[in-house]
Amino acid sequence: MNFLTLMETFAVVVETGSFTAAAEQLGLSKAFVSKQVSALEKELGTRLLYRTTRKLSLSEEGTRLYNHCQLIMREAQNARAEIIESQSTPRGRINITIPQSLIISGVGSLLLDFQAQYPDIKLNVIASGRVEDLVEKGIDIALRVGQLEDSTLISRKLADCTFQVVAAHSYLERNGEPTEPADLTHHNCLIYGESRSNRNWPFQLPDGEFITIKVKGNLTCNDGTLIYNAVLNGQGIGYGPGFLYAKPVADGKLKSLLTEFSQPTTAISALYPQNRNLSRRVRILLDYLAERLNS
């Protein structure tokens, strides 16, 4: 028998929890389903399922095989959906995780514009900057800003991004303005994120040397909205991607500081599992964001 057919039958047995239920779902006899699983075990030379009168349980090898079956079946479903979608209006669900800093900076509005343009696409937006297990949580893409950790995920750069140091005029009137990076050690710096690296703000000196300044402050939070509002309220100095503070700086509500000390250029990137073929609707979203973020 075809090995992929045997794998499909095995996966259905695991998911339904019995040979009887699997047979009903597949439109086959219970005896034939059992024969297919036995043939698969013979092909692989190992026991995959332990059978009792009450339930089925997976062996260690069965668990590993089932994980592969899930990936293969998901790819088959994606291929089918992609071909069908290519013949019609893009539709379906996209699960996307995105940091709050991107949402409040304007990418959130881009997602709303995208949905208005493609009303048959359902967006499930998870506001989080945490590194999630995309496969386990069923997430199609994750948007991230800055240096990416080594992982098995595929990364697609959507746009360049530079960071900047900003503060409200009310804060500067009370505390003075830093004129060089080392001055930040005497200021209340608001820390976005829980990682220690978020307390080390990088700068490039006029002679080309790169340095990092370890800052401190009375507010540390992984909620980008809270840090953003605290900076606007004059509670301290903020450090973040330029797009986050672009509007309040342009409106005169915040001042960009230490502009003669350039910040390393980073990127806004989209991450997705390397074993997942992106559906047409996801590719359309990524192309849309790349175009709009660079316009």
Side-chain angles (χ1 to χ4, degrees):
M1 294 182 184
N2 184 282
F3 187 71
L4 291 178
T5 300
L6 298 181
M7 290 181 69
E8 179 183 9
T9 301
F10 170 72
V12 174
V13 170
V14 174
E15 290 165 1
T16 59
S18 74
F19 286 96
T20 301
E24 292 177 356
Q25 181 171 319
L26 294 170
L28 303 171
S29 69
K30 177 182 175 181
F32 188 68
V33 169
S34 178
K35 180 180 179 181
Q36 285 190 311
V37 173
S38 296
L40 182 60
E41 289 179 325
K42 183 177 180 180
E43 172 79 16
L44 297 175
T46 187
R47 175 67 65 86
L48 300 174
L49 288 171
Y50 294 111
R51 306 162 176 82
T52 68
T53 56
R54 293 187 177 181
K55 69 175 183 177
L56 300 174
S57 59
L58 286 167
S59 67
E60 180 180 348
E61 291 78 9
T63 299
R64 291 207 304 268
L65 179 64
Y66 177 62
N67 290 334
H68 287 293
C69 289
Q70 285 183 303
L71 294 175
I72 292 171
M73 297 307 296
R74 187 182 296 121
E75 288 302 305
Q77 292 168 359
N78 287 341
R80 178 180 182 275
E82 181 178 345
I83 297 302
I84 293 175
E85 287 178 359
S86 67
Q87 309 301 318
S88 61
T89 301
R91 56 171 44 87
R93 182 186 182 94
I94 299 176
N95 296 318
I96 176 174
T97 175
I98 173 174
Q100 287 182 323
S101 61
L102 279 177
I103 292 179
I104 63 180
S105 68
V107 175
S109 296
L110 292 182
L111 292 177
L112 296 181
D113 293 342
F114 173 82
Q115 196 163 47
Q117 186 171 336
Y118 298 97
D120 291 326
I121 293 180
K122 299 178 181 179
L123 292 180
N124 177 34
V125 182
I126 303 165
S128 172
R130 297 176 57 188
V131 177
E132 305 280 3
D133 187 326
L134 304 190
V135 175
E136 179 181 338
K137 295 185 178 296
I139 296 172
D140 296 297
I141 52 174
L143 299 190
R144 293 293 180 262
V145 180
Q147 185 67 34
L148 301 175
E149 298 180 2
D150 292 336
S151 72
T152 58
L153 300 175
I154 294 177
S155 170
R156 173 180 170 181
K157 177 181 172 182
L158 299 178
D160 287 321
C161 171
T162 55
F163 280 59
Q164 62 177 322
V165 181
V166 297
H169 296 282
S170 58
Y171 175 86
L172 298 176
E173 289 170 2
R174 295 193 311 271
N175 300 279
E177 180 177 340
T179 58
E180 58 183 52
D183 293 341
L184 291 172
T185 58
H186 306 297
H187 284 268
N188 188 43
C189 297
L190 308 179
I191 314 298
Y192 172 49
E194 301 172 349
S195 171
R196 290 183 178 180
S197 63
N198 293 328
R199 298 177 179 272
N200 297 310
W201 294 0
F203 297 91
Q204 184 175 15
L205 302 180
D207 62 4
E209 178 186 0
F210 283 95
I211 63 170
T212 58
I213 302 298
K214 186 175 182 179
V215 299
K216 61 183 184 297
N218 61 8
L219 177 63
T220 299
C221 185
N222 63 355
D223 185 328
T225 304
L226 185 63
I227 296 294
Y228 178 83
N229 288 332
V231 175
L232 286 177
N233 291 338
Q235 294 175 231
I237 294 178
Y239 173 79
F243 58 79
L244 177 61
Y245 296 112
K247 190 175 188 305
V249 168
D251 293 343
K253 296 179 180 179
L254 296 179
K255 182 176 181 180
S256 185
L257 308 175
L258 304 172
T259 55
E260 64 272 34
F261 300 93
S262 61
Q263 305 295 311
T265 299
T266 183
I268 303 173
S269 303
L271 305 178
Y272 54 91
Q274 62 179 340
N275 56 8
R276 179 177 299 174
N277 287 326
L278 294 182
S279 65
R280 178 170 173 251
R281 61 183 176 274
V282 173
R283 293 200 306 271
I284 290 174
L285 174 58
L286 292 180
D287 291 342
Y288 178 89
L289 290 175
E291 179 181 355
R292 294 292 295 275
L293 287 171
N294 287 285
S295 61

